[in-house]
Amino acid sequence: MYLKYFGLKEFPFSLVSDPRFLYLSKDHRRVKSYIEYAINIQDSFVVCTGEIGTGKTTLINDALTRIGPQITVARIQATKLSAIEFLQSVLIEFGFEPYDYSKVQMVEKLKQYLQMQHKKGKKIFLIIDEAQNLDQNILEDIRYLSDLESNNQKLMSIILVGQPELSEAIDKPEMEHLSQRIRLRFHIKALGINDCADYIRHRLRVAGSADVNLFEAECIPMIHQYTGGRLRLINTLCDYAMMFCCVEKLKKVDTWGIQKAANELGWESYDKRFGEKNDMTQFNIQAMPKVKKESKLIVNRNNSIVEEIKLDQECISIGRQMDNVIVLDDHKVSRYHAHVIAQGKSAYLHDLNSTNHTYLNKEKVNVHELKDGEEFSIGDFTISYVKGSEEEETHSHTRQMELDNRDKTRLQPKQPILSLVSSESAVMEEQGQD
């Protein structure tokens, strides 16, 4: 209706999950990188959560547009399925018609299929949307499927996508055996006010608008107040406001247009409608411990050290853009070129589909587990990986215990030895309880 009036080629705020309209906030960019990383690693069990309308489905769709022929993906919607219906849905995605199969037959058929694909060098992924609807029995079946192996390699990788209730289900004590198998776990947050403005301009630009500032600046705080930064709600409100302003022959969307659209939709502020919700932890630290603090990346240019970066966080972003952890000032470096992902005692190099690629031993690399002393090249820069020493950390930990013990006993220098032993035993017992 308003396309011609505003000079657009298509509707900018459609609710369809179209990867062309994907907007990457800093948080979305990080999650996008981890999804791509998971797809390139066979041994993956990933949980991705987010409030309704925060862009989970669009991020998954975007990742699936770049998978190669060696990857087979089954994707199902977990809309109140029974255990039998769940297995049937999985097999149907792989081309079977399992309507007359028993549960045992379906599991056996699935195992045979996965083993056959593994022998052909195929990677199999199962993506489950709306996974917060899964009951405990199906979660147990998923745990079993994640354990299927051949030659010490997992036969299928799994990505669970859902609302925050999914995390609540996984964190229950009876689900500990499942949560321990999760390799990556992250939560997609809603947009802040600045990202909200950039998101609207981005969608207008993709839709072919000559003026990406069709929404007056004063509208942005109102839009954020009504939507809470949730992408789907932003789309709904902005679409309605543009339609209203078209009818009223307004050249731009102003605060009056936003208010009228909100009134027509019957919206109050997001906080009043849904209540304030705290952001969840982005990573399950227990499931994915950090690389030792002594591990580091050494950045070199022209045989000179530029900087040293400790691997004391889960993701080290590398690129030309200033918001990267490692900023490389080189025109041959993409804005967001690569990531080094710390996982347990290991670190993985992941190229982000960069223009000029990332090289290791003069070979292009996509995903690679770094070994101590290895060097990779990005543009004119060479980056060395130095793995920390476990012995040093153990020694440091022991030394800290000695200091702690010294501090505790020093407070009672005149007590008899027996009392000190009793006191020290109590301290050790208390530490054991902690």
Side-chain angles (χ1 to χ4, degrees):
M1 179 178 180
Y2 57 75
L3 292 183
K4 185 176 180 181
Y5 181 79
F6 285 111
L8 299 167
K9 296 179 181 178
E10 54 187 313
F11 289 103
F13 299 107
S14 170
L15 296 182
V16 176
S17 297
D18 187 342
R20 294 182 303 120
F21 284 90
L22 177 63
Y23 169 75
L24 294 176
S25 68
K26 188 173 183 179
D27 191 55
H28 284 77
R29 187 181 302 114
R30 175 183 55 78
V31 173
K32 176 179 182 289
S33 173
Y34 288 128
I35 291 173
E36 292 179 349
Y37 161 77
I39 290 176
N40 281 282
I41 297 296
Q42 181 69 18
D43 181 13
S44 295
F45 193 155
V46 179
V47 174
C48 175
T49 58
E51 299 288 347
I52 296 173
T54 48
K56 304 183 295 295
T57 301
T58 304
L59 280 169
I60 295 293
N61 288 345
D62 173 74
L64 294 181
T65 62
R66 288 185 297 280
I67 63 172
Q70 79 282 6
I71 297 177
T72 300
V73 177
R75 186 172 183 177
I76 63 174
Q77 293 277 345
T79 52
K80 300 297 183 182
L81 298 173
S82 67
I84 294 294
E85 291 169 338
F86 169 74
L87 288 173
Q88 285 176 336
S89 298
V90 174
L91 284 169
I92 289 170
E93 283 293 306
F94 290 131
F96 295 95
E97 296 183 359
Y99 306 109
D100 297 328
Y101 292 1
S102 68
K103 184 175 181 179
V104 173
Q105 288 174 320
M106 285 191 286
V107 171
E108 185 60 29
K109 178 66 70 173
L110 183 57
K111 285 173 60 177
Q112 292 173 1
Y113 173 78
L114 295 176
Q115 289 169 349
M116 180 178 66
Q117 296 302 308
H118 177 73
K119 290 179 181 178
K120 293 179 180 179
K122 296 275 190 178
K123 294 181 180 179
I124 306 297
F125 273 86
L126 174 60
I127 299 176
I128 306 174
D129 287 324
E130 303 300 333
Q132 75 278 356
N133 294 323
L134 298 172
D135 64 26
Q136 185 171 331
N137 291 331
I138 298 180
L139 288 174
E140 176 61 29
D141 288 340
I142 291 172
R143 181 206 62 78
Y144 171 77
L145 294 177
S146 73
D147 283 342
L148 296 177
E149 295 183 355
S150 177
N151 299 325
N152 296 322
Q153 285 190 327
K154 298 293 185 183
L155 293 177
M156 180 167 64
S157 297
I158 298 172
I159 300 179
L160 301 183
V161 184
Q163 297 170 31
E165 292 83 359
L166 173 60
S167 281
E168 296 173 8
I170 291 173
D171 288 336
K172 290 179 179 178
E174 58 268 28
M175 287 287 101
E176 183 178 358
H177 57 297
L178 174 67
S179 63
Q180 288 181 357
R181 286 164 170 78
I182 297 172
R183 293 284 299 270
L184 286 172
R185 186 173 175 180
F186 38 78
H187 183 75
I188 301 176
K189 297 184 290 185
L191 298 184
I193 291 181
N194 291 336
D195 273 322
C196 183
D198 290 341
Y199 172 76
I200 291 170
R201 287 192 288 265
H202 169 75
R203 300 213 44 131
L204 288 169
R205 185 180 299 110
V206 175
S209 176
D211 181 9
V212 295
N213 295 307
L214 284 177
F215 287 74
E216 293 182 350
E218 293 80 6
C219 296
I220 304 304
M222 290 182 65
I223 294 171
H224 192 269
Q225 183 180 15
Y226 279 116
T227 65
R230 274 64 180 178
L231 307 186
R232 190 176 301 164
L233 297 181
I234 294 173
N235 289 353
T236 299
L237 183 60
C238 288
D239 181 71
Y240 209 112
M242 290 189 73
M243 183 172 61
F244 175 82
C245 290
C246 171
V247 172
E248 296 297 323
K249 304 301 181 185
L250 301 176
K251 294 299 181 184
K252 292 203 172 190
V253 180
D254 57 12
T255 55
W256 183 57
I258 297 296
Q259 188 63 64
K260 290 292 289 185
N263 291 345
E264 290 291 332
L265 290 166
W267 286 4
E268 293 184 289
S269 69
Y270 184 87
D271 288 346
K272 287 184 178 179
R273 279 152 50 218
F274 302 105
E276 188 64 32
K277 294 186 179 181
N278 295 325
D279 286 325
M280 299 174 61
T281 303
Q282 296 173 356
F283 295 93
N284 184 335
I285 301 301
Q286 183 178 3
M288 190 177 112
K290 298 177 182 178
V291 168
K292 305 299 184 183
K293 289 186 177 180
E294 293 82 0
S295 297
K296 60 184 177 180
L297 297 172
I298 303 176
V299 183
N300 293 272
R301 190 176 195 179
N302 298 326
N303 296 321
S304 298
I305 295 178
V306 177
E307 61 178 332
E308 296 186 6
I309 301 293
K310 290 183 178 180
L311 256 66
D312 56 0
Q313 51 186 295
E314 290 87 356
C315 177
I316 302 294
S317 57
I318 307 171
R320 198 174 69 249
Q321 192 78 2
M322 292 303 296
D323 58 352
N324 287 288
V325 177
I326 299 178
V327 180
L328 304 181
D329 185 14
D330 185 346
H331 71 279
K332 294 187 289 295
V333 177
S334 298
R335 292 167 62 238
Y336 300 99
H337 197 105
H339 280 163
V340 172
I341 297 174
Q343 187 175 25
K345 298 178 182 179
S346 303
Y348 293 86
L349 172 64
H350 178 205
D351 183 84
L352 301 177
N353 297 314
S354 61
T355 302
N356 294 309
H357 312 294
T358 302
Y359 290 88
L360 185 74
N361 297 325
K362 297 183 180 181
E363 297 288 337
K364 294 178 185 177
V365 63
N366 184 12
V367 176
H368 174 77
E369 181 177 0
L370 291 167
K371 298 178 177 60
D372 186 30
E374 280 192 322
E375 295 182 346
F376 57 93
S377 300
I378 297 178
D380 292 336
F381 292 85
T382 300
I383 302 176
S384 305
Y385 169 64
V386 178
K387 187 172 184 178
S389 169
E390 188 173 357
E391 293 181 359
E392 290 180 8
E393 178 163 298
T394 303
H395 173 75
S396 175
H397 178 65
T398 304
R399 176 59 177 161
Q400 185 61 48
M401 289 181 63
E402 291 173 355
L403 292 174
D404 291 344
N405 292 339
R406 183 197 65 187
D407 290 342
K408 290 181 177 71
T409 57
R410 189 177 59 188
L411 297 177
Q412 302 172 337
K414 294 183 180 180
Q415 292 186 4
I417 293 175
L418 181 60
S419 297
L420 284 177
V421 172
S422 300
S423 173
E424 193 64 18
S425 299
V427 170
M428 292 178 67
E429 182 178 353
E430 181 180 352
Q431 289 177 339
Q433 292 174 348
D434 291 341

